[in-house]
Amino acid sequence: MGPTRKPNVCRQLSRRALGFFSRDAGVVQRTNLGILRALVCQESTKFKNVWTTHSKSPIAYERGRIYFDNYRCCVSSIASEPRKLYEMPKCSKSEKIEDALLWECPVGEILPNPLDYKSSLIALTAHNWLFRISATTGKVLEKIYLASYCKFRYLSWDTPQEVIAVKSAQNKGSVLARQVLSGSKCTNHCEHSEDWPSGLFSGDIYLSPQIFGNVTDATLSHGILIVMYSSGLVRLYSFQAITEQFMQQKLDLGCACRWGGTAGTVGEAPFGIPCNIKITDTPPLLFEVSSLENAFQIGGHPWHYIITPNKKKQKGVFHICALKDNSLNENLPVVTASGRVVKKNFNLLDDDPEQETFKIVDYEDELDLLSVVAVTQIDAEGKAHLDFHCNEYGTLLKSIPLVESWDVTYSHEVYFDRDLVLHIEQKPSRVFSCYVYQMVCDPAEEETTNRSCEKE
């Protein structure tokens, strides 16, 4: 099953201190992550439950920060015990944060304000404001008013850390409108903003049912408009082609604008951001495919996409197909966006439903580990453990027992982030729980390791 020789952490640390990797920052980073992987997987390393908390509002996690009370309370998990970073003042229901993204400055960009280089939380409020909030203090640094003509609810990255997409809720039309639109219940708006601190804005799209049909959902990703339908159909369009063909007027945040007989400043209340892209004809279709519950992922090199066949009995089955000819490739290694190859042989992870089942499978690209949450049902109570598998050979390297019980009827999220494991659980009646595990080493085992290092 591959080589068994373990990397010598002490030797790697010594080589790093002597400057062996100083000419290449990438080599230093990979070396550091290799050291961390060795520490995570060694037998003496344990993951200890250091903190547990409960909340009546959703709990979110992003890069070492745990968010409570609709993102208004932020707790740092990068410590021996989580500590509160900030808590924003209480607000009315109309001002609550609906969704948020952690923004970190793009590499190679010159930004106008030194504060722009520090991490920020991009937050969307219930009353259609977009806030840029300091990730360390909770102070509002910038704000944009979107519009009053629809309700915005969701944020996503079009291009990670560079381009933000803001999506509206799906609104039910009037009875007359539903009759005219053949029962369509959705009107979708999607706003597209580039490099917010520099004040650029691309456009606001309205997905008309007359043009796109009975749309159930839509999103923007890497310059592609992805439109989904209740039948499982997924259609892809070029956002750039849409803007070039249908943009009525270019808009810049903070600049004066006249629209529909009204003058105002783009991004300020009450003017907001006009709907400046009006699609009057079906745009050129790039690609379409049918998939169960619209499950669709695209990427890799060469380009491939992953779908689930559009039949209920096929749920849990995934097909990897070539984008150029739609051919099914069952033995293709998946290449991630970071350039790593996921070679895992999934036959090695075949579960036994009567003994234990796999609930969450994820790939930790920095440490090149596959993490698997397995649950064993004991009478009415379930117990879970998080397993780390070698991505190259599929061998089990580490198993971490979770101390809390696992109810398979609840909603669960598990994050493995370097030296942290975090489990978020949603119970009935909107009760949320958060369990934080930190990496620790057995002192006796560590002393033995240090002595062996000194001899080398």
Side-chain angles (χ1 to χ4, degrees), residues 37-106:
R37 174 182 159 133
L39 292 174
V40 165
C41 295
Q42 70 182 8
E43 188 176 350
S44 62
T45 300
K46 313 294 180 186
F47 279 79
K48 181 182 178 183
N49 180 215
V50 296
W51 197 59
T52 299
T53 189
H54 309 281
S55 171
K56 290 187 177 180
S57 63
I59 302 172
Y61 174 78
E62 186 75 38
R63 294 182 65 84
R65 297 175 175 89
I66 309 171
Y67 294 97
F68 300 91
D69 191 22
N70 300 112
Y71 293 95
R72 292 193 170 272
C73 179
C74 179
V75 173
S76 172
S77 63
I78 307 175
S80 57
E81 188 172 310
R83 60 182 179 86
K84 184 184 291 186
L85 287 178
Y86 64 80
E87 186 166 5
M88 299 173 69
K90 296 291 183 182
C91 66
S92 65
K93 189 175 180 180
S94 66
E95 296 175 308
K96 79 167 187 174
I97 296 175
E98 296 276 13
D99 201 1
L101 296 171
L102 186 65
W103 184 84
E104 296 169 309
C105 72

Side-chain angles (χ1 to χ4, degrees), residues 30 40 69 75 88 97 136-137 166 179 182 184 206 209 214 230 285 302 327 337 339 367 376 390 440:
R30 287 193 294 273
V40 165
D69 191 22
V75 173
M88 299 173 69
I97 296 175
T136 53
T137 66
V166 189
Q179 290 173 345
S182 304
S184 174
Y206 167 61
N214 185 21
S230 58
L285 180 66
S327 59
L367 301 184
T376 304
C390 171
V440 294

Side-chain angles (χ1 to χ4, degrees), residues 170-388:
Q170 297 177 346
N171 303 317
K172 290 186 178 181
S174 65
V175 175
L176 177 61
R178 286 201 299 271
Q179 290 173 345
V180 171
L181 305 177
S182 304
S184 174
K185 68 176 183 178
C186 306
T187 55
N188 290 286
H189 283 266
C190 198
E191 295 201 346
H192 187 267
S193 181
E194 298 184 0
D195 301 337
W196 176 10
S198 63
L200 299 179
F201 175 78
S202 291
D204 182 350
I205 307 174
Y206 167 61
L207 302 185
S208 166
Q210 289 94 334
I211 302 296
F212 289 94
N214 185 21
V215 176
T216 56
D217 200 3
T219 189
L220 279 165
S221 179
H222 294 84
I224 302 295
L225 174 64
I226 304 171
V227 181
M228 289 157 270
Y229 299 85
S230 58
S231 63
L233 187 65
V234 179
R235 286 178 171 163
L236 276 59
Y237 303 89
S238 166
F239 178 76
Q240 181 179 348
I242 289 173
T243 56
E244 291 174 354
Q245 185 176 355
F246 300 108
M247 181 178 285
Q248 296 178 312
Q249 181 178 332
K250 185 179 178 181
L251 302 175
D252 292 315
L253 294 174
C255 295
C257 175
R258 177 169 290 277
W259 188 273
T262 304
T265 302
V266 178
E268 292 186 4
F271 189 78
I273 301 175
C275 185
N276 66 329
I277 299 177
K278 187 177 180 181
I279 302 176
T280 56
D281 195 8
T282 305
L285 180 66
L286 294 180
F287 178 76
E288 71 174 12
V289 69
S290 183
S291 181
L292 184 66
E293 299 175 350
N294 300 120
F296 174 78
Q297 295 286 332
I298 188 169
H301 180 75
W303 287 99
H304 280 73
Y305 61 90
I306 303 175
I307 61 167
T308 295
N310 199 5
K311 296 179 181 179
K312 288 185 178 180
K313 65 179 181 180
Q314 294 289 313
K315 189 170 184 178
V317 175
F318 299 93
H319 286 182
I320 303 175
C321 303
L323 187 64
K324 65 177 181 179
D325 58 8
N326 300 318
S327 59
L328 179 66
N329 193 327
E330 297 178 353
N331 302 309
L332 178 76
V334 179
V335 183
T336 68
S338 63
R340 294 179 181 271
V341 179
V342 184
K343 301 177 182 176
K344 192 76 186 82
N345 182 351
F346 285 95
N347 291 328
L348 297 173
L349 294 178
D350 192 15
D351 61 355
D352 183 348
E354 294 184 0
Q355 297 182 18
E356 69 175 17
T357 55
F358 298 145
K359 295 300 178 184
I360 301 173
V361 179
D362 197 12
Y363 175 60
E364 215 302 318
D365 60 346
E366 289 189 319
L367 301 184
D368 197 22
L369 293 173
L370 198 71
S371 64
V372 179
V373 176
V375 179
T376 304
Q377 197 71 26
I378 304 173
D379 296 328
E381 187 179 82
K383 298 298 291 183
H385 52 92
L386 177 63
D387 295 339
F388 298 151

